[in-house]
Amino acid sequence: MTNHHQSTRGKPRVAFVTCAELPDLDPDDRLALGPLAARGVTAEIAVWDDPAVDWAGYDMVVLRSPWDYARRRDEFVAWARTVPALANPADVVAWNTDKRYLSELSAAGVPTVETVWVEPGQAWTPPAGGEHVIKPAVSAGSQDTGRYDLTDPEHRELAVAHVRRLSDAGRLTMVQPYLQAVDTAGETALLFLADPGGLVFSHAIRKGPMLTGPDRGEAALYKEERIDPRTATAEQRAVAEKVLATVPGGPERLLYARVDLIPGPDGAPVLVELELTEPSLFVGYADGAPDRLAGAVLAHLRRH
């Protein structure tokens, strides 16, 4: 949808959406501002919950770093539904901000990390042993996420306390086996950006291990990550394409997508997360990626 007032002016106006704690955007996102200006696109930074912003005045509103939404997810989704020309679309935001989508993808035949879901108020007994990850179904940037060795009595107690803390807050809990390949191969994030023909692969990065132990309830907007460029394998790209084919409404509606994969116990890639709302796109780690992101914005503008 293009605002008539904007179209008569001739220069597209795009909002890059952030949160009050990152009023100048994440530095990685800022790399696209110059290439956008070179394409004649006026890009402005706007905070998602700023009541003074006229969202209808933009030709496109691009979710970038509104990373405080996790504790206000219902409010964030309601806001997204009021924003014309939102990328990615509000219905995708509603679906993707609750990690129960992993169950849908698993049912559709996508290889995903095994997950046990613990409803608020539900009794939970830790598995007998092994390393596990505990996190809420609604989170961003590894907030409220911990790693536990359940053969360790102290870790078992901390794991139970973590689930109880989430439950007391009315939050759905995810319990997953810790995939040991994270410590060696790391996590591979495959980045896809729009072009005139649809969503296409842009680049990939490697994320090193982030979880060093239990979560002790210390809130943080996001955790620092060790990032390196990576060349995605044909197998990883095939899994990522299968993941994207399951997106409600089809991947052609998307401006961007990030597919996070880790080798499973048999070495084959499994999906950890599909990031369609506000993922870091890591454009600073691949030659030409900031320019490709700017091109994606322009292609999306022309299509929609």
Side-chain angles (χ1 to χ4, degrees):
M1 175 188 295
T2 300
N3 181 284
H4 177 70
H5 175 70
Q6 297 300 328
S7 63
T8 58
R9 199 166 61 198
K11 193 169 186 178
R13 186 168 171 243
V14 171
F16 269 27
V17 179
T18 187
C19 60
E21 291 168 86
L22 290 168
D24 296 319
L25 289 177
D26 181 72
D28 189 71
D29 290 319
R30 293 188 64 83
L31 296 174
L33 299 182
L36 281 168
R39 284 170 164 79
V41 177
T42 299
E44 301 174 6
I45 302 169
V47 174
W48 74 270
D49 57 353
D50 181 352
V53 178
D54 175 19
W55 300 107
Y58 291 101
D59 295 287
M60 185 186 297
V61 176
V62 181
L63 293 169
R64 289 314 319 125
S65 48
W67 293 336
D68 62 351
Y69 82 85
R71 298 295 179 92
R72 304 158 61 192
R73 186 253 178 182
D74 291 348
E75 180 185 346
F76 181 71
V77 170
W79 164 81
R81 289 177 172 142
T82 70
V83 179
L86 185 69
N88 286 327
D91 65 300
V92 171
V93 170
W95 178 77
N96 188 239
T97 50
D98 186 327
K99 293 183 178 62
R100 276 178 284 198
Y101 69 77
L102 288 170
S103 293
E104 294 182 35
L105 299 187
S106 179
V110 171
T112 62
V113 61
E114 179 185 342
T115 304
V116 172
W117 307 89
V118 186
E119 298 282 347
Q122 178 183 343
W124 177 70
T125 301
E131 286 197 285
H132 287 73
V133 174
I134 294 174
K135 59 185 175 182
V138 177
S139 67
S142 297
Q143 295 175 43
D144 305 303
T145 299
R147 171 181 172 182
Y148 301 87
D149 179 357
L150 296 180
T151 60
D152 181 319
E154 181 186 5
H155 274 224
R156 290 181 70 83
E157 289 184 13
L158 289 169
V160 170
H162 188 173
V163 173
R164 185 184 305 116
R165 187 164 61 248
L166 294 174
S167 179
D168 289 347
R171 304 174 78 184
L172 177 68
T173 298
M174 306 168 65
V175 182
Q176 300 172 325
Y178 184 78
L179 299 177
Q180 298 298 327
V182 173
D183 295 330
T184 52
E187 183 174 328
T188 301
L190 290 85
L191 289 304
F192 293 77
L193 299 172
D195 81 350
L199 200 65
V200 298
F201 177 72
S202 170
H203 59 285
I205 58 94
R206 176 191 184 274
K207 290 197 285 183
M210 294 174 58
L211 301 178
T212 57
D215 175 74
R216 300 178 186 271
E218 299 168 354
L221 185 63
Y222 59 89
K223 294 182 180 179
E224 292 297 324
E225 299 176 309
R226 167 67 189 270
I227 308 298
D228 297 290
R230 167 165 276 179
T231 300
T233 67
E235 185 180 24
Q236 288 169 334
R237 289 183 61 169
V239 171
E241 295 284 358
K242 186 173 185 178
V243 170
L244 292 173
T246 68
V247 174
E252 64 277 356
R253 296 195 301 149
L254 305 177
L255 172 63
Y256 50 72
R258 197 181 90 200
V259 182
D260 294 346
L261 304 175
I262 296 175
D266 64 354
V270 299
L271 178 70
V272 181
E273 288 190 18
L274 168 60
E275 298 268 15
L276 305 178
T277 302
E278 35 54 67
S280 293
L281 297 174
F282 304 115
V283 295
Y285 293 88
D287 290 343
D291 203 58
R292 288 195 293 276
L293 176 55
V297 169
L298 200 58
H300 206 68
L301 274 167
R302 288 170 174 164
R303 282 214 311 271
H304 298 276

